[in-house]
């Protein structure tokens, strides 16, 4: 005889809701732990990649994510971990996300999410004016936009000169024209003056934003840089 008692095989909506809540809680906890870890790792950094850079990128990425309706867990992990394996600060000179992967594993982040986050980290960086971006997910577009918004405007100007000082670069060298780098190698090996960096990267970012939200924010920040460069050249005077 066929049993009528079928409910035992169907997951109860109440238990389902509890499982979801527990999962969300776990995610929040992972984000909090990751933020605390990164804050510790990046505090006292003086090249423009300090904790407050990460905090701003995280904040901006969350705001764009709300509008663009992307996966907030992936976006937040991507934003928090995006500079942990930066080529400028590790021995290998590339961005294989070894440290990020180890951290995600230590938090038991599921493999699909971890893979998506690592993919973002590997593709987030600007690699030269003549090098195409290869980001390929909405979550990645958002993290990349948030990172790039922090490279332009008033904060962007401050960070560029902080980085230039850290690398012993001159503020400006009128005899050294900016270059459009055709490869990541060329861009990486460039040692030009900080003002050149505006023409080699910062002024180009407005047109390389992915989301409409970031494009809008970039307009104003772009103009701040144009005004700054005008004023800088006026104060610089003649080179003769
Ligand atoms: P992204 O995360 O987009 O790859 P980077 O990590 O290359 O950005 O740069 C981080 C910060 O350092 C940015 O604010 C950028 O303007 C600055 N920076 C990078 N390279 C230079 C440079 N050659 N001269 C001046 N500033 C630089
Ligand atoms: Ni960054």
């Amino acid at each position: 005889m066929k049993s009528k008692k079928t409910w035992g095989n169907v997951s109860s909506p109440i238990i389902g809701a509890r499982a979801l809540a527990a999962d969300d809680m776990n995610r929040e906890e992972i984000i909090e732990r990751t933020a605390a870890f990164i804050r510790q790792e990046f505090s006292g950094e003086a090249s423009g990649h300090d904790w407050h850079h990460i905090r701003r990128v995280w904040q901006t990425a969350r705001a764009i994510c709300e509008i663009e309706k992307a996966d907030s867990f992936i976006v937040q992990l991507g934003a928090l971990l995006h500079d942990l394996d930066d080529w400028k600060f590790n021995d290998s000179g590339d961005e294989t996300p070894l440290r990020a992967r180890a951290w995600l594993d230590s938090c038991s982040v599921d493999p699909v999410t971890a893979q998506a986050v690592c993919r973002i980290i590997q593709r987030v960086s600007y690699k030269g004016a003549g090098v195409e971006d290869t980001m390929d997910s909405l979550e990645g577009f958002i993290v990349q936009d948030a990172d790039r918004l922090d490279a332009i405007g008033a904060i962007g100007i401050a960070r560029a000169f902080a980085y230039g000082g850290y690398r012993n670069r001159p503020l400006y060298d009128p005899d050294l024209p900016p270059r459009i780098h055709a490869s990541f190698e060329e861009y990486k090996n460039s040692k030009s003056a900080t003002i050149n960096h505006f023409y080699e990267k910062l002024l180009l970012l407005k047109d390389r934003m992915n989301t409409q939200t970031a494009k809008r924010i970039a307009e104003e920040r772009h103009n701040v840089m144009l005004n700054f460069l005008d004023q800088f050249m006026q104060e610089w005077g003649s080179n003769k």
Side-chain angles (χ1 to χ4, degrees), residues 70-87:
D71 182 320
S72 168
F73 190 46
I74 295 175
V75 166
Q76 293 194 67
L77 287 175
L80 284 167
L81 296 169
H82 84 272
D83 270 341
L84 192 59
D85 293 282
D86 194 301
W87 61 268

Side-chain angles (χ1 to χ4, degrees), residues 91-221:
D91 298 334
S92 63
D94 67 17
E95 292 182 310
T96 310
L98 297 177
R99 299 188 67 203
R101 166 75 67 182
W103 173 257
L104 293 166
D105 285 350
S106 78
C107 293
S108 306
V109 168
D110 69 274
V112 174
T113 300
Q115 188 55 29
V117 172
C118 288
R119 208 173 161 82
I120 292 174
I121 296 168
Q122 254 179 318
R123 286 156 195 259
V124 73
S125 257
Y126 180 85
K127 295 190 166 63
V131 184
E132 263 187 50
D133 291 315
T134 57
M135 194 63 87
D136 56 3
S137 67
L138 177 58
E139 287 73 22
F141 290 151
I142 292 171
V143 174
Q144 190 169 56
D145 281 356
D147 191 29
R148 290 180 173 182
L149 284 172
D150 208 56
I152 61 175
I155 296 266
I157 295 170
R159 290 181 69 219
F161 287 100
Y163 186 88
Y166 169 75
R167 292 278 181 198
N168 274 328
R169 306 266 167 81
L171 299 180
Y172 174 47
D173 180 348
D175 296 324
L176 211 67
R179 292 182 49 201
I180 297 301
H181 302 112
S183 71
F184 185 33
E185 273 312 298
E186 264 183 46
Y187 176 71
K188 245 189 339 193
N189 296 329
S190 154
K191 296 195 170 37
S192 66
T194 301
I195 287 290
N196 285 9
H197 190 62
F198 286 79
Y199 299 94
E200 292 167 355
K201 173 181 173 188
L202 306 185
L203 292 172
L204 309 176
L205 291 181
K206 175 173 75 74
D207 294 329
R208 288 173 73 151
M209 294 292 165
N210 304 296
T211 64
Q212 288 306 321
T213 313
K215 281 183 209 280
R216 267 197 304 276
I217 304 171
E219 289 290 338
E220 190 188 346
R221 297 189 185 189

